Structures are given as C-alpha cells and as structure tokens.
Amino acid sequence: MDSSGAPRTTTGWAARDPSGVLSPYTYTLRSCSPCKSGKEQYCNNKIYTYGDVYTDGQLTQGCFAASMIVDQKFVVKIPEGMVVEQAAPLLCAGVTVYSPLSHFGLKQSGLRGGILGLGGGGHMGVKIAKAMGHHVTVISSSDKKRLEALEHLGADEYLVSSDATAMEEAADSLDYILDTVPAFHHLEAYLSLLRVDGKLILIGASNAPLQFVSPMLSVGRKTIAGSFIGSMKEAEEMLEFCKEKGLSSMIEVIKMDYINTAFQRLENNDVKYRFVVDVAGSNLHHQ
C-alpha cells in the first residue's frame, strides 16, 4: 500500500493472448518481506536496459528463450565507464561464452578453439577467445558469414561444415568447440575436429535431441559438456575482462514501443547481434 492505503501499481509490457504481441500492462506490485521497522517493502529495482535473447520460436509464445535484465544497483557491479547498454548483452552472451572457458580450464593462451554458429553468442565467443590469445576457427553451415567472421570479428579461420574436404583437413585440430547452435544438428562432424581430450561444449538451447555415435567420444577421449549463463563471480570477471580488453557486443538499441517489430526481426534473423531495449528512455505507457 502507498501512504493513502491504495495498492501500488506499475506499468510494464506483456503478451496477453496467443498472438504473442506485447502491449502496456498495469499491475499491482507485490510486497517483499517486512523490514526491521516492520514496514511493508516493495521490490523496486531500477531497470535501465534490457537485452533480448532469442533462440528458437517466438519469444512470447512459450518456446525456448531467455532474457537478461541489468540493474545497475542490485544485480552486478558494472565496471566504471562501461555503458549499461553494453552491460546488458554482455551479461547474457558474454558470460555464456566466458563461463565455460573459465570452468573447463580453457582461458590460457595458445589454445585452438572453434566457435560453431555466428550469432549473438557466437560473435562474443570469437571476441573473447581471441582476447584470451586463442587461435579461433568459426564453423558455419554456409559461406555467407566468412567476411564478417574474418574481417570484422578477427577470427583466424572459417570452416564450412558442408565442405567435406575442408572438414577432413581440419580433423583433430581443435582443443575445444563452443557450440552455440540453437537447433537440431548432428554432432559427429564436429567431434571429429577435436584433438585428444578435446571438449565440445553445448551453450545453444535446443528443444530437439542431438545425435552422435559413442565411438566418436571414445576414440580420442573426447567430452561433450553443457554450460548455461554463469555465476555472479564469473559475470563480474567477464565484465572486467571485456573492459580491460576493450570488447563490446554488436548491438542495436531500441525503445520499448519497437519491441514487437524487434521480435519479428529476430524471427527473421535480421539483427547483428543483439537488441537492447532502452527502458529508461522509453515511454512504457505508449500504445
């Protein structure tokens, strides 16, 4: 309740029917646990930016998706001088690729790594792995992102998975692969690229079973592992690392009233590589 005894309300945007279209939605704030004075409290975190993450299916229709909210005061410590519109996608795509590299002991320089898929997570995988001193190969199903990978992101090599000759030549060459693909795909071809004790780390969210034959793991003592986002400690480490190395995510900043168009563009794969919603600068009541 506010000072007059009326329930406290706020306005957000919500999908209220199966179409998935978002529109302004006013709701009552829930109370948090009482403070020491016995007075009722509310969860009033101040949201500055919001990074949209899209994997497969329409975000607002119940398919696989996730979102990250950056709260400058309550969530993580953002390094001084880092703009919050950069912190939002880094706290999703950035920590998603940083965490497995850290957890599985793959931060040392001189490693040869593969980034499977060049999207929101993949492009940060290239940047972070290169900044760690790795030789980075981007693996894609077609040749259309070669220039982006090599010239704009600084990858060392580009491998088209449908090119049987090139894949054979690259066999047993990688220490790890970060698999960012959010859809069904066979794993055998990529397992063949790994050296002895190599690791294929799944960070793309797929709702379809993946396939491989067990000898592809046994021969070479290879590992398939999974990783999702990361810890608070890793998130803060990643932000500091990105600030130190001058790394940033490729983003497009939008206002809240553009959100439905943004979702449609995400479905059409028409963004490089993240939308960030400027919540503070948006008119949340706009129809």
Side-chain angles (χ1 to χ4, degrees), residues 224-246:
I224 296 177
S227 183
F228 188 68
I229 308 295
S231 67
M232 295 287 287
K233 180 176 181 293
E234 288 170 331
E236 292 191 345
E237 285 180 2
M238 176 276 305
L239 290 176
E240 290 291 346
F241 178 83
C242 289
K243 181 185 178 184
E244 176 188 345
K245 299 294 185 179

Side-chain angles (χ1 to χ4, degrees), residues 122-170:
H123 93 284
M124 284 309 306
V126 175
K127 289 188 171 190
I128 288 176
K130 283 295 296 179
M132 289 179 175
H134 299 179
H135 182 281
V136 177
T137 298
V138 169
I139 309 162
S140 186
S141 59
S142 73
D143 206 47
K144 65 181 182 180
K145 293 185 178 181
R146 181 182 294 273
L147 180 64
E148 179 79 14
L150 299 178
E151 299 296 329
H152 299 165
L153 297 175
D156 299 287
E157 297 185 45
Y158 188 91
L159 185 59
V160 178
S161 58
S162 59
D163 186 337
T165 300
M167 290 289 284
E168 185 176 353
E169 291 174 349

Side-chain angles (χ1 to χ4, degrees), residues 3 16 36 55 100 108 119 155 175 180 197 210 215-216 237 240 256 286:
S3 58
R16 290 176 277 180
K36 291 181 180 180
T55 55
Q108 68 270 29
D175 295 296
T180 74
D197 292 326
L210 303 181
M216 295 299 300
E237 285 180 2
E240 290 291 346
M256 195 67 201
H286 180 73

Side-chain angles (χ1 to χ4, degrees), residues 270-282:
D270 179 28
V271 59
K272 289 186 178 180
Y273 284 99
R274 278 288 191 270
F275 284 120
V276 174
V277 182
D278 177 7
V279 176
S282 297

Side-chain angles (χ1 to χ4, degrees), residues 47-153:
I47 299 168
Y48 293 88
T49 56
Y50 171 95
D52 284 330
V53 185
Y54 183 92
T55 55
D56 191 25
Q58 188 164 330
L59 178 66
T60 55
Q61 292 181 352
C63 298
F64 270 96
S67 62
M68 174 60 66
I69 292 173
V70 175
D71 182 321
Q72 195 175 39
K73 183 176 181 181
F74 296 101
V75 177
V76 295
K77 180 181 179 181
I78 299 174
E80 185 178 353
M82 177 176 283
V83 294
V84 290
E85 57 264 34
Q86 272 298 325
L90 290 178
L91 282 171
C92 186
V95 73
T96 296
V97 296
Y98 181 91
S99 177
L101 294 175
S102 176
H103 177 78
F104 292 106
L106 300 170
K107 292 171 66 176
Q108 68 270 29
S109 63
L111 296 179
R112 297 180 69 91
I115 306 297
L116 178 54
L118 195 62
H123 93 284
M124 284 309 306
V126 175
K127 289 188 171 190
I128 288 176
K130 283 295 296 179
M132 289 179 175
H134 299 179
H135 182 281
V136 177
T137 298
V138 169
I139 309 162
S140 186
S141 59
S142 73
D143 206 47
K144 65 181 182 180
K145 293 185 178 181
R146 181 182 294 273
L147 180 64
E148 179 79 14
L150 299 178
E151 299 296 329
H152 299 165
L153 297 175

